[in-house]
Amino acid sequence: MIQIVGLCIYNLALLIYAAFQPGQLKKSVVSLENSLIMGKRPIIDPSKHVWPRVEPALLALIGILAVGTGMISFIAYKLHTEFAWLVYSIVHADIKMKRKVFTLQIYVALVKFDFFFLLGFLVQKIVSTGYIMTDVEFGLSIAVIFIAVLVALLAIVFARNENKAGTITIVAAYFMNVGYLVYSLIRLSGIGDFLMLAVFAGITIAMMICTIVTAVLCLVHFNKGLKVYAHSQELLAIKAGKDTDLRNTAHPISQLLPRRMTLD
């Protein structure tokens, strides 16, 4: 459910990005129309009227994203009202455990969305500023993409298996990512597409800081029963003969979780 909410936020961010896009693209088109190839002819022929032909598509994109974001948000709300009881079936009335599971779910969702926003920033950086980047900086930007994939995968694995050393390493990697983004903003300040890069980088930095905070909270919750609940769905599937539908009450999750022995 947390990931669905994250998807709504992700679509909202795309909507904001799309709202900025027409103005930035118009500047680029005008710049290309005024730029000459070898001092003879413009890169884009002004007689082609490129911007009037492109603008309607960009405006339509904003409308489509707005409608899509609204629909996804409505569906997310309906799913929440329909399946909220599944959370109770896992953690019952244990408020502390519910918070731990909720924190883990937020962390996993943030890790996934961090990757997409970081990838978007890097691609835009390479495309928009490749002409001013050194070979070392260009290679570093490409390497960060592959490192980000590895970090995202390991972050989820370490968290679900309560690997403290691994999660601490992931936190350190996220601090380095934040430092890289800040360096990129300082390095690229003043270029024509800086506004769009700054928006993407700002969102990514904010999300990574939230990821670091939730990672620390997950670390605090390690070795306190969280691992059993994190794997409860897989355990239920084995118990119920590969039936992953949590609404099947024939094998309640409570049967799979450790219980305290009580004395009469």
Side-chain angles (χ1 to χ4, degrees):
M1 189 63 213
I2 298 299
Q3 297 186 44
I4 297 177
V5 175
L7 185 61
C8 295
I9 298 174
Y10 178 71
N11 275 270
L12 180 61
L14 287 179
L15 178 60
I16 296 173
Y17 177 79
F20 280 103
Q21 199 171 26
Q24 296 295 313
L25 188 58
K26 184 177 181 180
K27 292 179 181 179
S28 299
V29 171
V30 172
S31 176
L32 291 174
E33 288 177 344
N34 295 327
S35 300
L36 302 178
I37 300 177
M38 300 180 66
K40 295 182 178 180
R41 60 186 181 87
I43 298 176
I44 295 181
D45 188 354
S47 64
K48 299 295 184 180
H49 304 292
V50 173
W51 174 245
R53 296 165 63 183
V54 173
E55 184 180 17
L58 294 176
L59 296 178
L61 178 62
I62 296 174
I64 293 172
L65 282 173
V67 173
T69 302
M71 292 178 61
I72 292 175
S73 300
F74 175 75
I75 294 172
Y77 171 76
K78 298 298 290 185
L79 285 173
H80 175 71
T81 57
E82 182 71 20
F83 296 106
W85 65 273
L86 290 178
V87 177
Y88 178 82
S89 70
I90 296 176
V91 300
H92 302 288
D94 191 340
I95 301 300
K96 292 183 179 180
M97 185 56 66
K98 183 177 180 180
R99 290 175 180 172
K100 294 175 184 178
V101 174
F102 187 67
T103 302
L104 177 62
Q105 291 175 340
I106 291 177
Y107 175 64
V108 172
L110 283 174
V111 166
K112 295 178 180 179
F113 287 107
D114 283 344
F115 169 73
F116 287 111
F117 278 102
L118 180 61
L119 179 63
F121 170 78
L122 290 172
V123 170
Q124 187 168 347
K125 175 186 175 182
I126 293 171
V127 172
S128 301
T129 65
Y131 61 93
I132 64 171
M133 295 170 62
T134 63
D135 292 339
V136 174
E137 190 175 2
F138 183 83
L140 179 61
S141 299
I142 297 297
V144 168
I145 296 176
F146 294 98
I147 294 173
V149 175
L150 181 62
V151 169
L153 293 175
L154 291 178
I156 296 174
V157 172
F158 289 153
R160 287 180 173 172
N161 290 279
E162 296 188 342
N163 188 320
K164 286 189 175 182
T167 303
I168 292 173
T169 303
I170 295 299
V171 170
Y174 271 99
F175 272 115
M176 288 188 287
N177 275 336
V178 171
Y180 171 77
L181 290 169
V182 173
Y183 162 77
S184 296
L185 285 178
I186 297 174
R187 171 77 172 82
L188 302 174
S189 59
I191 67 170
D193 295 328
F194 178 73
L195 178 60
M196 298 307 302
L197 288 170
V199 170
F200 244 101
I203 294 174
T204 308
I205 290 172
M207 292 189 66
M208 284 190 173
I209 292 174
C210 293
T211 305
I212 292 171
V213 173
T214 53
V216 173
L217 292 176
C218 287
L219 275 170
V220 174
H221 297 155
F222 282 177
N223 300 324
K224 295 182 180 180
L226 180 62
K227 183 177 180 179
V228 177
Y229 286 89
H231 292 280
S232 59
Q233 186 170 355
E234 290 83 352
L235 293 172
L236 180 61
I238 296 174
K239 182 74 174 179
K242 304 302 181 181
D243 181 10
T244 57
D245 187 357
L246 292 180
R247 289 170 290 183
N248 183 359
T249 56
H251 303 281
I253 293 177
S254 58
Q255 295 179 3
L256 305 175
L257 301 176
R259 296 181 178 179
R260 294 180 180 177
M261 181 179 294
T262 57
L263 299 177
D264 294 333

